[in-house]
Amino acid sequence: DMTGRRALVTGGASGIGLACARAFAARGAAVTIADFNEEAAHRAADEVSGTAWVVDLSDTESLDDLELDVDVIVNNAGIQRVSPLEDFPPDAFRLIQDLMLVSPFLLIRAALPGMYERGWGRIVNLSSVHGLRASPFKSAYVAAKHGLEGLSKVTALEGGPHGVTSNCINPGYVRTPLVEKQIADQARVHGIPESEVVEKVMLTESAVKRLVEPSEVASLACWLASDDAGMVTGASYTMDGGWSAR
Ligand code: NAD
């Protein structure tokens, strides 16, 4: 039950974030959708009877002085870029660090004083199996997710005495627009037809041969945000069909 909890979900207008927003709202939380897709953010906020915060989270300097009064943060907004290192556009690398590592830091930083005052808080970081394992052609994403793992652990250590937990969720490939957009890029860099990407690139390491559903990720986020998970912190929960068991 999340009645009375205020939850901020970044990238909440689509995919995993939207699934988390729906699941939190269904449990009674007041949800804010932070997303730079204005139309989709308002649509999602209306659907969950929540609030839209239209914001470009890669514009990190605008977040330096933020104060955030929330009980739960889901750091979820993210993008992917697939390219060999020697061709990787430097601006794209920086953008990914800003959006997926610097902005989570700034949102956590902005929310902790209020959480400490109330003695309760939950930080849920959408990492990835790529927070724990690497794949070729994803240097920026893998670097940002590995960084997020470190940020999450430090948050856990500092927040522990104040009732604030911080954890990562590490999914394999989830059925979302982010993955659908990636199929053409993967076909190009691996030199195979698009029809073969899911089986030959995305599911090779997974023992369970299907994509993860966004609602499955949201269910884990709900548990991590619950009182029951109060002793769970600094952890990284895989939901990768067995990928990281290899
Ligand atoms: P998605 O593309 O469906 O949704 C991402 C959302 O983030 C979109 O609503 C988009 O508008 C928003 N966003 C992007 N850039 C933004 C910016 N600069 N400012 C504000 N909002 C911005 O993606 P998804 O697949 O649901 O992924 C969500 C998270 O889960 C990401 O961090 C991703 O790395 C992680 N993840 C995804 C998968 C997967 O297979 N889909 C697997 C592991 C981890």
Side-chain angles (χ1 to χ4, degrees):
D1 182 31
M2 293 180 72
T3 307
R5 303 285 189 213
R6 294 156 302 169
L8 177 77
V9 183
T10 74
S14 170
I16 294 168
L18 180 56
C20 289
R22 284 175 176 147
F24 288 176
R27 285 162 180 75
V31 178
T32 300
I33 308 269
D35 205 292
F36 77 163
N37 183 335
E38 187 170 353
E39 196 213 318
H42 284 292
R43 201 182 326 122
D46 285 349
E47 188 196 321
V48 301
S49 304
T51 309
W53 176 24
V54 178
V55 57
D56 180 353
L57 293 165
S58 71
D59 177 13
T60 51
E61 277 166 29
S62 72
L63 304 174
D64 281 359
D65 300 317
L66 188 70
E67 287 173 32
L68 209 52
D69 220 10
V70 294
D71 305 298
V72 179
I73 299 179
V74 181
N75 281 312
N76 164 81
I79 53 174
Q80 180 60 278
R81 181 83 183 225
V82 182
S83 169
L85 268 165
E86 64 276 23
D87 298 330
F88 211 99
D91 283 347
F93 191 95
R94 288 190 197 99
L95 169 68
I96 286 179
Q97 309 316 307
D98 281 340
L99 174 61
M100 291 163 56
L101 179 56
V102 181
S103 99
F105 157 69
L106 291 167
L107 296 182
I108 291 168
R109 181 179 184 276
L112 283 182
M115 290 178 175
Y116 287 179
E117 218 174 277
R118 293 183 293 275
W120 199 93
R122 295 284 184 269
I123 312 291
V124 178
N125 297 305
L126 246 302
S127 180
S128 163
V129 70
H130 285 118
L132 308 170
R133 296 287 185 279
S135 292
F137 314 125
K138 294 185 172 178
S139 54
Y141 186 94
V142 171
K145 292 301 193 193
H146 276 66
L148 184 64
E149 296 279 327
L151 173 68
S152 183
K153 289 179 198 170
V154 175
T155 308
L157 296 183
E158 294 187 22
H162 305 278
V164 175
T165 69
S166 175
N167 294 286
C168 287
I169 298 180
N170 305 68
Y173 285 96
V174 186
R175 187 190 310 281
T176 70
L178 180 140
V179 161
E180 280 151 24
K181 279 182 235 153
Q182 208 188 112
I183 289 179
D185 289 346
Q186 292 275 23
R188 183 169 39 77
V189 292
H190 287 275
I192 56 172
E194 286 185 28
S195 57
E196 294 177 6
V197 166
V198 170
E199 192 191 319
K200 294 209 169 138
V201 179
M202 297 184 169
L203 295 182
T204 49
E205 306 305 316
S206 183
V208 184
K209 298 295 181 192
R210 67 167 174 84
L211 298 175
V212 183
E213 295 299 331
S215 60
E216 294 176 301
V217 180
S219 150
L220 178 53
C222 283
W223 180 70
L224 288 171
S226 73
D227 283 322
D228 282 348
M231 277 303 282
V232 177
T233 196
S236 297
Y237 275 70
T238 58
M239 188 179 276
D240 63 3
W243 177 337
S244 57
R246 284 177 199 277

